[in-house]
Amino acid sequence: MKALFNQKLTVLNAGLTSFATNIERAGGSAVAMNWQPPGSGDKQGGMALAGLTNQADIEQANQVAMNRYLAAQPTLVDVMLAGEAMPELAERKLILHAGPPIAWQGMCGPVQGAILGAIVFERWASDIEQARVMIESGDVKFEPCHHYNAVGPMAGIISRSMPVWVVENQTEQGPERVFSNFNEGLGKVLRFGANNSDVIERLEWMGSELAQAMKVAVREMEGLELKPIMAQALHMGDEVHNRNAAATGLLMKQLIPALLSTDLPQDQLKRVISFITGNDHFFLNLSMAACKSMLKAAENVENSTMVTVMARNGVNFGIQLSGTGKQWFQAPANPVNGLFFPGFGVEDAAADLGDSAITETAGVGGFAMASSPAIVKFVGGTPNDATNNSRAMQAITLGGNPAFTLPALNFAPTAAGIDARKVVDNGVLPIINTGIAHKQAGVGQIGAGITTAPMQCFVEALRELEQRRAEQVTL
């Protein structure tokens, strides 16, 4: 003991930084640890975390969910109208939107504007004002895309007459299908709440000529595996969320020969090919569908803490866990820290919006930013920031996806399988790179940046899962 007190001591300080400072002023040596209580200090969340840690059934469940996610083989198999793919849309006036459930009165401007446009597009109303009257009278219903195994970027609107990609997980688990709408391109588009005549005319063309061409092309190809395209795009500078230039090019290499082998009129082929080649984000919706397909395979594994959905509706952020099924855990969406187009600022921005965070949930997008250093010119930061973001996600995931590798990290697999326990324990939030929509309908995209999922979602999810396990023990 005497020898111990005769040595020079170094104090590890896990409290306020000022404690370490006082020790140093007194001539001692102190290391201030970057520590904070789990779950931002939520006591019940901390207790739930403790109850779910080092539990054999939890670890086994997570391994099952992770293996199902890794084994999934999302394949583009068809193009259909949404009402054909999801019969519920044909049976009633139902419109799907991005993110967790939300009532009309609580929706942000872009989502409301997009819904009004969809009603006019469906010819349920002759104009926007009549569409608004229909909504206020309760004639139109709204539900999240995820409730129908579908995803859509930004407002995420899907109505019965819109074409959707049909993506099937072709594994021994069974051919489960997911859906995504088509990408409209940039400018005044429905997903940002625009709903004028140009928007409606474009949607009508997409539902006829474009959908017809894509349908015959997919059938000519006899399906198209999507994971190889995504994997190659990661090696070509994409992260397959906000940057899809390479992925869209790789898709075109498959589509054009298929289209040329059909008997479609030459004028139609020219319009279709011109539209796709003029839209670098055309692959985004397929990337989202592929990610949804992979994560759907991991759903409903009892006791699993793996996150299977992250989505935003422009007001709230919601997640789902494999072990809690379709139950949503929500919190107000965090602000987006990014770059704004000239003339716009944070006061103009809607809150985080869209189903496209399904890409990060599957281990790409913000999790794969190391593969896309050029993305920082769009969302802000430096190439080092992009690399650090990918590394940081390794602290909150169950493992990596060897199908998706990052050249900048010596071809390490992308971090994948978000573990809600690790998020709460480490205080590291899933990072998402995203577009920023103007809070008013129809203005469009006004910037892009980086945001995170709110901690409270994960805390509440763990509390629910721990309660379910406790009830099982009681029974």
Side-chain angles (χ1 to χ4, degrees), residues 204-267:
E204 290 173 346
W205 176 80
M206 292 172 66
S208 53
E209 275 200 352
L210 180 61
Q212 178 194 26
M214 293 300 96
K215 189 177 186 72
V216 297
V218 171
R219 290 186 174 180
E220 182 69 24
M221 293 185 291
E222 297 183 348
L224 178 65
E225 292 188 10
L226 298 175
K227 280 172 74 172
I229 292 178
M230 296 168 68
Q232 188 174 353
L234 290 176
H235 292 184
M236 298 170 66
D238 283 0
E239 35 72 81
V240 290
H241 180 176
N242 266 299
R243 192 177 193 278
N244 283 277
T248 298
L250 293 170
L251 175 66
M252 288 302 295
K253 288 180 65 176
Q254 302 289 329
L255 284 177
I256 289 178
L259 286 169
L260 294 178
S261 65
T262 70
D263 58 0
L264 291 174
Q266 189 175 33
D267 287 348

Side-chain angles (χ1 to χ4, degrees), residues 25-189:
R25 287 175 177 172
S29 176
V31 176
M33 299 176 62
N34 184 17
W35 179 87
Q36 58 183 350
S40 301
D42 185 289
K43 182 177 179 180
Q44 289 181 310
M47 295 296 291
L49 172 64
L52 297 170
T53 301
N54 296 326
Q55 300 294 322
D57 59 335
I58 300 290
E59 305 305 332
Q60 183 178 6
N62 282 339
Q63 192 61 57
V64 170
M66 186 68 173
N67 287 343
R68 290 180 181 177
Y69 152 77
L70 292 173
Q73 294 297 331
T75 303
L76 173 62
V77 296
D78 204 353
V79 169
M80 303 173 70
L81 294 183
E84 300 170 340
M86 296 167 275
E88 297 91 338
L89 271 68
E91 295 168 359
R92 55 196 176 112
K93 290 183 173 65
L94 173 65
I95 293 178
L96 306 185
H97 63 80
I102 188 169
W104 169 260
Q105 294 79 4
M107 292 177 181
C108 68
V111 174
Q112 287 190 341
I115 287 174
L116 292 169
I119 292 173
V120 174
F121 165 71
E122 292 292 345
R123 299 182 181 177
W124 299 339
S126 58
D127 56 37
I128 296 301
E129 290 309 312
Q130 187 180 354
R132 194 181 299 275
V133 171
M134 288 186 66
I135 292 171
E136 293 172 351
S137 65
D139 291 342
V140 183
K141 304 300 181 184
F142 317 108
E143 290 191 52
C145 292
H146 279 288
H147 289 188
Y148 295 86
N149 298 322
V151 284
M154 301 310 292
I157 301 304
I158 300 177
S159 62
R160 65 174 68 168
S161 301
M162 294 180 184
V164 293
W165 301 112
V166 181
V167 174
E168 189 174 275
N169 176 20
Q170 297 188 335
T171 65
E172 295 178 357
Q173 298 174 38
E176 291 191 278
R177 289 185 162 189
V178 302
F179 315 100
S180 179
N181 52 8
F182 280 22
N183 195 284
E184 306 160 81
L186 299 177
K188 301 289 186 181
V189 291

Side-chain angles (χ1 to χ4, degrees), residues 467-475:
Q467 182 177 340
R468 292 189 184 194
R469 291 181 76 248
E471 291 173 353
Q472 290 171 6
V473 172
T474 303
L475 294 174

